[in-house]
Each structure stands twice: as structure tokens, then as C-alpha cells.
């Protein structure tokens, strides 16, 4: 088993002159427009136009990751944002519209992730904004949402309560915080007794909706196995706080969940996101978390932008819209 001190599965370093060239292309394509006036489809179309301007190595590595993930289910790109670009104050909410140079960062993030499929968001999450801000929010410090800070954001996959949850998510860091480590654990690194794995592969669990979603009425609990898929590329659906055995008396299932939580901590990969880091993870094969950090709420707090990606053209066409309900 790999030691827990690993920092990432795969890294791509973007050179300063490459980042400057891409940023210049962002400027040309934006052409002084307010990108917030574009529809989500128009925004993604524009991001697609930016993609050919990305460094060839970035494009090659993203396609390789999508096809074979040869170096693992998490990929980290570093140095995507030029050092001399300044960003506005950290957004005040996940759904706050990007302004000024932050619009360019959102476009850049989308130009990379669009190589994996269709960027989307649910109408129920953060006002359905395509690019969301992962920022601390006052009063939300101890929640199990991206708005938390002094509280640990525990192990989860994005939106396990939906069977059409995203295939990938991309996180671009505009402003880092030295104490906040993003943590990842890959399903393929999980080592458990065969009988525990067998329990986790049975649909003996159900998951509650993520509290970050604004949902009408009672959403039914989704019944699911925690582990699925092939042995060589296993899939995982996990949310430490919102998942439980369907049967309260199912001690075997509860025990398997405990063993899994312990194992995830052992195989965790940690990375402190710095400005210009773009982290992409496979939401079907990786669970993630974030360690506590202090928020000042003064415009200088940690700021990541996130997009979620649907890798299936079929699912995307079924939704019939980029912001499905
Ligand atoms: O802030 C991070 O590193 C991850 C945030 C996250 O996982 C979330 O908002 O769901
Ligand atoms: Fe998350």
C-alpha cells in the first residue's frame, strides 16, 4: 500500500510563458465583454474556443487522463494562472458572479474541463451557476459544505444522492490558504478484507441529499452500493455524513462503513492548493475532503472555482439542458 504522505497522483507543470500566452488568448476571446451576460451554453462554447490555445502538454495529459488515467484518478496542473494577474476580492458566496479577471479564470478552468465532457450544474445547487466559488462563508464554518472553514469538510463524493452525479470535477485555485489541504482517496487504493468489500458492494445503503442543494419537499433517499465496477478500476459512492445502512440494525453494513472510513484516511493523498493549481478528480472513483482553515471574511480568504463535468454525451442529451433540475 502507498504511504499516506503522497501529494498527488499526477502533476503537470505549466511554464510561466505558456500561462502568459493562454491568458493573452483569454483576453482576445473575451474582447472586453462581460462574460456574465453569456448564457451557460455560450460560455462553454467560448471556453471551447480557448482550448486549442492551452499548452499542447496540458491537452495531451487531459485526453490521456480521460482515456486511461495512466497515473491515477486525480490530476494536478500547476502554474495555470500568470503571476502578474491580480484577482478581485474573494467572492462572498458560491453563487456570486465572477467579475473582472475572475471571469478569465472561470473561462480558463472551463477550457480545460470541457475536454472531459460537458460542464454543468444542477439548478438546485448554488443558483445553478456553472462555475461556483468554493469560499468560506460566515455562519457556515462548521457545515459539511464548501462554505465551511474551521470545521473539517469530511470525506464525500459530489452529489452521491443523484444517479447522474458528475463524472469529474475541476477545482482552480485563485487564492490559497496554507492550512487548507485538499484530500483525496482513490477507490483503487482501498484495501479491505474480502468480506467487507462484499458487503460494500451490496445495495444495503442509502444516501440523503447534500444540504448544499435547495430541493422542494422530500427527496427520496437513494439506495446504493458503496463500491461497484471492476476490480482494476473500482467505483465509489460515499458521503460520510449523509450515508447509512438502510436497516438501522444492519451491524455488518455499519461495520463495513467504519472500516472503509479508516482505510480512506490511510490511503489519503493531500495537497495544499496554491494559486494557479487546477485539480481534476474522477468523481466516480475518488472521494475527497478538505482540512480546516481560518477564514477572515476580508476579501483575502481561500478561493477555488469549481466546475462539474458530465462525461457521458448520452446523459447530457437526456437532460436536454446544461443546468438540469
Ligand atoms: O475546498 C476544497 O478543497 C474542496 C471543496 C469541496 O469538496 C466541496 O465543496 O464539495
Ligand atoms: Fe466536494
Amino acid at each position: 500500500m502507498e504511504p499516506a504522505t503522497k501529494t498527488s497522483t499526477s502533476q503537470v507543470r505549466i511554464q510561466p510563458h505558456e500561462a502568459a500566452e493562454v491568458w493573452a488568448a483569454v483576453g482576445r476571446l473575451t474582447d472586453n465583454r462581460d462574460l456574465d451576460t453569456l448564457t451557460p451554453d455560450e460560455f462553454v462554447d467560448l471556453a471551447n474556443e480557448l482550448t486549442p490555445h492551452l499548452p499542447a502538454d496540458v491537452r495531451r495529459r487531459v485526453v490521456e487522463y480521460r482515456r486511461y488515467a495512466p497515473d491515477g484518478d486525480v490530476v494536478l496542473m500547476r502554474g495555470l494562472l500568470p503571476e502578474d494577474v491580480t484577482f478581485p476580492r474573494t467572492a462572498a458566496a458560491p453563487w456570486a458572479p465572477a467579475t473582472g479577471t475572475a471571469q478569465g479564470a472561470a473561462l480558463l478552468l472551463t477550457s480545460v474541463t470541457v475536454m472531459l465532457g460537458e460542464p454543468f450544474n444542477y439548478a438546485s445547487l448554488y443558483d445553478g451557476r456553472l462555475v461556483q466559488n468554493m469560499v468560506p462563508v460566515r455562519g457556515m464554518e462548521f457545515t459539511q459544505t464548501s462554505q465551511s472553514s474551521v470545521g473539517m469538510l469530511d470525506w464525500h463524493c459530489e452529489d452521491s444522492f443523484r444517479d447522474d452525479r458528475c463524472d469529474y470535477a475541476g477545482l482552480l485555485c485563485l487564492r490559497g490558504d496554507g492550512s487548507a489541504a485538499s484530500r483525496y482517496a482513490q477507490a483503487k487504493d482501498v484495501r479491505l478484507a474480502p468480506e467487507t468489500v462484499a458487503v460494500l458492494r451490496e445495495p444495503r445503503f442509502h444516501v440523503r441529499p447534500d444540504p448544499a442543494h435547495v430541493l422542494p419537499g422530500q427527496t427520496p433517499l437513494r439506495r446504493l452500493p458503496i463500491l461497484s465496477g471492476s476490480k482494476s478500476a473500482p467505483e465509489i459512492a460515499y458521503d460520510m455524513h449523509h450515508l447509512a445502512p438502510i436497516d438501522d440494525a444492519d451491524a455488518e453494513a455499519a461495520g463495513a462503513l467504519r472500516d472503509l472510513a479508516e482505510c480512506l484516511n490511510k490511503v489519503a493523498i493531500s495537497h495544499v492548493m496554491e494559486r494557479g493549481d487546477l485539480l481534476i478528480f474522477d468523481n466516480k472513483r475518488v472521494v475527497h475532503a478538505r482540512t480546516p482553515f481560518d477564514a477572515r471574511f476580508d476579501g483575502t480568504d481561500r478561493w477555488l472555482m469549481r466546475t462539474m463535468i458530465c462525461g457521458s454525451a448520452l446523459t447530457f442529451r437526456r437532460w436536454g439542458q446544461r443546468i438540469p433540475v
Side-chain angles (χ1 to χ4, degrees), residues 80-114:
L80 199 58
L81 298 170
E83 287 300 327
D84 58 350
V85 174
T86 52
F87 291 109
R89 291 166 62 86
T90 296
W95 50 84
T99 59
T101 47
Q103 293 191 346
L107 191 70
L108 192 47
L109 165 63
T110 311
S111 76
V112 179
T113 57
V114 76

Side-chain angles (χ1 to χ4, degrees), residues 50-110:
L50 181 59
T51 306
H53 298 275
L54 291 168
D57 191 42
V58 167
R59 285 182 281 128
R60 188 179 59 77
R61 293 290 286 270
V62 175
V63 171
E64 191 179 68
Y65 169 72
R66 172 169 62 77
R67 299 182 69 199
Y68 307 116
D71 302 315
D73 295 312
V74 181
V75 64
L76 173 64
M77 315 215 158
R78 315 203 67 184
L80 199 58
L81 298 170
E83 287 300 327
D84 58 350
V85 174
T86 52
F87 291 109
R89 291 166 62 86
T90 296
W95 50 84
T99 59
T101 47
Q103 293 191 346
L107 191 70
L108 192 47
L109 165 63
T110 311

Side-chain angles (χ1 to χ4, degrees), residues 277-295:
D277 284 353
L278 166 55
L279 209 143
I280 298 172
F281 60 88
D282 183 323
N283 192 46
K284 300 274 167 74
R285 296 190 173 81
V286 173
V287 296
H288 64 281
R290 192 218 62 238
T291 63
F293 67 102
D294 284 323

Side-chain angles (χ1 to χ4, degrees), residues 108-138:
L108 192 47
L109 165 63
T110 311
S111 76
V112 179
T113 57
V114 76
M115 281 187 277
L116 296 166
E118 294 296 341
F120 77 97
N121 189 16
Y122 302 107
S124 56
L125 181 63
Y126 298 151
D127 267 356
R129 292 207 71 96
L130 191 63
V131 177
Q132 309 118 43
N133 306 296
M134 308 285 103
V135 290
V137 173
R138 204 189 285 279

Side-chain angles (χ1 to χ4, degrees), residues 101-268:
T101 47
Q103 293 191 346
L107 191 70
L108 192 47
L109 165 63
T110 311
S111 76
V112 179
T113 57
V114 76
M115 281 187 277
L116 296 166
E118 294 296 341
F120 77 97
N121 189 16
Y122 302 107
S124 56
L125 181 63
Y126 298 151
D127 267 356
R129 292 207 71 96
L130 191 63
V131 177
Q132 309 118 43
N133 306 296
M134 308 285 103
V135 290
V137 173
R138 204 189 285 279
M140 303 289 280
E141 289 86 342
F142 292 98
T143 58
Q144 285 299 317
T145 74
S146 62
Q147 294 131 294
S148 65
S149 48
V150 268
M152 173 89 188
L153 179 57
D154 284 315
W155 290 120
H156 64 282
C157 300
E158 305 303 12
D159 305 318
S160 298
F161 74 100
R162 290 200 56 140
D163 58 10
D164 59 1
R165 70 194 160 118
C166 65
D167 295 300
Y168 306 95
L171 296 167
L172 175 63
C173 181
L174 276 68
R175 199 163 275 138
D177 185 302
S179 354
S182 298
R183 302 184 80 212
Y184 299 85
Q186 308 182 94
K188 70 185 175 71
D189 292 340
V190 166
R191 299 286 180 272
L192 292 168
E195 51 281 14
T196 308
V197 171
V199 172
L200 294 170
R201 280 182 172 272
E202 286 171 18
R204 283 159 75 166
F205 307 87
H206 59 192
V207 62
R208 278 198 308 278
D210 184 313
H213 286 254
V214 179
L215 296 164
Q218 282 293 94
T219 304
L221 299 184
R222 186 160 98 90
R223 179 190 172 102
L224 78 185
I226 307 301
L227 299 174
S228 59
S230 68
K231 268 199 171 147
S232 60
E235 300 186 13
I236 185 164
Y238 184 72
D239 192 321
M240 205 166 158
H241 289 269
H242 305 119
L243 195 120
I246 294 172
D247 180 355
D248 283 346
D250 189 345
E252 201 178 38
L257 280 181
R258 272 196 304 277
D259 289 354
L260 176 62
E262 205 173 288
C263 179
L264 292 175
N265 287 328
K266 278 195 205 140
V267 301

